[in-house]
Amino acid sequence: MQTNTHLALKKETYVIEEVLEEIQNQYFGSGNFNGMPIYRLADNFDIESDGFRSAIRAGIENEIITATFHGNTHIRAFSGFKKEQLLEWFDSEKYPAHICLYPHQNVLKGSKLLDKYKDSPYELELAKGAGQLDYRTFDLSVLEYYRNDPRYSYETDFIHGSISIESEYFESELVPESDQILLKTFGFAYDKDFGRYVAVFIRYLSDLSPEHQKVWAAKEIKGDIKLHPDYYASSIQGSWGTKISIFQAFVEELELINKMSKLIGKPELFRNSYCAQRPVEFGFLLRPTVSEFNDFVLLIDKMMSDNINKKFFEDDVPTESDEERDDGKIIVRAKGTIQILESWVNKYFHPQDPEPIDQMMMTFKKVRRLRQQPAHKVNTNVFDQGIFKKQRELVIDAYDAVRTLRMILANHPNVKNNPPDINERLFKGEIWDI
């Protein structure tokens, strides 16, 4: 003889099986793996009854279905909530309100409907119940293909980034349709040792063509890897972030120095601030090789020493020197930009603590020395994870050098009386160096 409890459980099981069928039809038929709002089940179920509500709760508890309660509930943003948390929300939220139901991952993993997505690894992950804003992390080298291919627009501030096919190649016979992709946003992430990775939300990975999804899947790295704090803040929390990247800060310092140069009544100290168009290679390395590091050193020296405008120093310090040859003849030689800069700073600026200036000049010389090294010896294209750290240290030193130079010019009376606008984060030193 069946008890009332057994009858209730049997009825609950019957109800949840019927509900699950409708939820799965919605989930796979929506095109975006959307949830089923409880209120849309009102045509076939008495959704306000205690029995129905009890059946839904039991479905969550038994991991047959799951639910979303906050924000845009029609998409499952995250998949990591424990059922205890879901049940707490279910019991405390206004019912049915906008609660949306989904098939649980335990149910989805056995669905024959997954075969449709077998060639698209990240669309398959969504189909199996991953959250739209769950993220995956990848080796940095996955970005090289897009950065180095002129058919793609590759943009990043080294916190956020995006990739898209250039307009002239969109729907063009010159590029296969599978390569005409858009990655709306990517960011960066770090492990506990500050190893650096690319991070992408599964929603955007799933929008790639099947061919490109497989490329990314081959580069995926698993582990305890956390999103860059500002990428998390802007993408998940909807804030503007807290700092700017050191590469953006670097070119903004060059721009400020040039503005101050004009206020002083001189030509711009740097021939190009690169603020309007920062070189795409001016950023953290995508592959830790000697060759990539040497290319970066060459670029940063071009942006520092090679970029100095000698006309700024005319009438202040000599830009040429006289040298006597063995035969007694005098030869006029042009001084190097670092030598000229050092002479000018030493002539006009005498701080109580000379260390920052000494450090600034040492960095200019260090970058030039590193640039000259590859010219005098043959380097194999060695792969070394330590190069990431070496580059980061160089970038920090280079930024400190141009910032010190900006602060030197800021002491000129013309600049003090009419200072240019300075990015508040730059002024406060709120800069990410990771």
Side-chain angles (χ1 to χ4, degrees):
M1 181 176 178
Q2 291 183 316
T3 65
N4 290 338
T5 301
H6 288 146
L7 288 171
L9 288 173
K10 185 176 180 181
K11 187 174 182 182
E12 280 184 2
T13 303
Y14 175 74
V15 169
I16 204 61
E17 287 176 353
E18 283 196 321
V19 169
L20 178 61
E21 184 177 355
E22 294 209 25
I23 293 173
Q24 289 193 102
N25 289 340
Q26 163 70 6
Y27 186 73
F28 286 107
S30 65
N32 290 303
F33 308 108
N34 296 134
M36 170 66 78
I38 290 178
Y39 65 79
R40 279 184 49 193
L41 295 168
D43 289 344
N44 298 320
F45 301 93
D46 183 4
I47 64 172
E48 298 288 351
S49 69
D50 291 341
F52 182 84
R53 182 167 181 166
S54 177
I56 297 301
R57 193 185 192 285
I60 296 173
E61 188 169 19
N62 295 320
E63 297 185 336
I64 298 169
I65 61 173
T66 185
T68 55
F69 300 87
H70 309 116
N72 179 6
T73 58
H74 294 272
I75 65 166
R76 176 162 41 197
F78 303 102
S79 63
F81 296 116
K82 296 184 180 298
K83 69 178 179 181
E84 291 77 13
Q85 176 67 77
L86 297 176
L87 290 169
E88 182 181 329
W89 284 331
F90 185 80
D91 292 338
S92 61
E93 287 289 309
K94 184 179 179 181
Y95 175 89
H98 296 286
I99 298 172
C100 280
L101 305 177
Y102 296 80
H104 193 276
Q105 289 95 320
N106 291 344
V107 173
L108 288 168
K109 66 184 179 183
S111 175
K112 294 180 180 179
L113 296 174
L114 296 180
D115 288 345
K116 176 182 176 182
Y117 311 101
K118 62 182 181 181
D119 292 324
S120 302
Y122 295 105
E123 195 172 11
L124 177 61
E125 285 205 41
L126 287 182
K128 290 166 68 174
Q132 306 265 342
L133 297 182
D134 289 345
Y135 64 92
R136 297 294 179 263
T137 51
F138 306 87
D139 188 277
L140 291 168
S141 62
V142 74
L143 296 176
E144 280 184 310
Y145 175 83
Y146 306 100
R147 184 196 66 182
N148 298 340
D149 191 329
R151 298 175 301 173
Y152 293 99
S153 172
Y154 169 84
E155 297 181 359
T156 181
D157 61 4
F158 303 99
I159 297 171
H160 325 76
S162 64
I163 298 167
S164 62
I165 192 75
E166 290 282 8
S167 299
E168 62 187 288
Y169 297 106
F170 180 62
E171 295 184 348
S172 166
E173 294 180 357
L174 298 173
V175 179
E177 185 177 352
S178 62
D179 287 337
Q180 297 181 24
I181 59 96
L182 167 68
L183 189 61
K184 186 176 180 181
T185 178
F186 67 84
F188 295 91
Y190 300 86
D191 60 24
K192 61 181 177 63
D193 298 318
F194 287 98
R196 200 161 182 268
Y197 306 88
V198 187
V200 189
F201 299 118
I202 297 179
R203 168 72 272 166
Y204 301 113
L205 288 166
S206 73
D207 288 336
L208 297 173
S209 67
E211 292 82 357
H212 281 253
Q213 288 187 46
K214 290 175 182 176
V215 169
W216 283 78
K219 294 286 187 176
E220 186 173 334
I221 305 290
K222 299 184 184 298
D224 184 16
I225 304 173
K226 307 296 184 185
L227 287 180
H228 188 295
D230 261 14
Y231 190 62
Y232 177 85
S234 61
S235 301
I236 303 299
Q237 297 177 321
S239 78
W240 290 101
T242 58
K243 303 178 185 180
I244 59 175
S245 80
I246 196 168
F247 298 100
Q248 181 61 31
F250 185 95
V251 297
E252 288 191 21
E253 293 286 6
L254 299 187
E255 180 77 1
L256 275 172
I257 289 169
N258 282 349
K259 289 179 179 179
M260 291 178 176
S261 303
K262 291 181 178 180
L263 290 171
I264 293 170
K266 288 182 167 291
E268 294 180 340
L269 196 154
F270 290 105
R271 290 182 283 112
N272 189 344
S273 74
Y274 298 96
C275 205
Q277 189 168 6
R278 192 174 68 240
V280 69
E281 298 84 4
F282 185 56
F284 287 117
L285 301 181
L286 299 184
R287 191 184 295 272
T289 63
V290 171
S291 176
E292 280 238 347
F293 180 75
N294 288 342
D295 288 345
F296 179 80
V297 170
L298 174 62
L299 174 61
I300 200 167
D301 189 58
K302 286 180 177 180
M303 298 173 73
M304 293 176 70
S305 302
D306 273 3
N307 197 20
I308 291 174
N309 180 10
K310 290 184 178 181
K311 292 182 179 179
F312 175 91
F313 306 98
E314 288 179 352
D315 303 326
D316 288 345
V317 294
T319 58
E320 298 175 333
S321 62
D322 295 337
E323 294 183 10
E324 183 177 353
R325 291 193 329 196
D326 292 341
D327 61 5
K329 188 174 181 179
I330 302 299
I331 298 175
V332 178
R333 294 190 184 277
K335 289 185 175 181
T337 55
I338 298 176
Q339 185 182 5
I340 295 169
L341 173 64
E342 188 169 27
S343 297
W344 185 85
V345 171
N346 290 337
K347 179 177 179 179
Y348 290 104
F349 198 68
H350 305 283
Q352 289 184 338
D353 180 9
E355 184 177 352
I357 292 178
D358 292 344
Q359 198 65 44
M360 176 187 78
M361 296 312 309
M362 284 175 58
T363 297
F364 271 88
K365 293 172 185 177
K366 175 185 176 182
V367 173
R368 173 50 56 92
R369 186 172 62 253
L370 286 171
R371 173 182 175 174
Q372 291 171 337
Q373 285 177 359
H376 299 291
K377 65 179 182 178
V378 176
N379 285 297
T380 57
N381 198 15
V382 177
F383 185 98
D384 179 4
Q385 289 287 349
I387 289 175
F388 281 138
K389 181 179 179 181
K390 185 178 179 181
Q391 188 216 16
R392 178 173 176 267
E393 291 172 350
L394 180 64
V395 168
I396 292 172
D397 288 345
Y399 172 73
D400 287 344
V402 295
R403 184 173 187 269
T404 299
L405 184 54
R406 184 256 294 176
M407 294 175 74
I408 290 172
L409 268 63
N411 282 277
H412 191 281
N414 291 359
V415 179
K416 281 186 174 181
N417 293 334
N418 184 30
D421 292 334
I422 299 179
N423 182 321
E424 184 178 359
R425 289 175 177 172
L426 198 70
F427 181 77
K428 292 181 178 179
E430 295 174 342
I431 296 160
W432 288 114
D433 58 18
I434 57 173

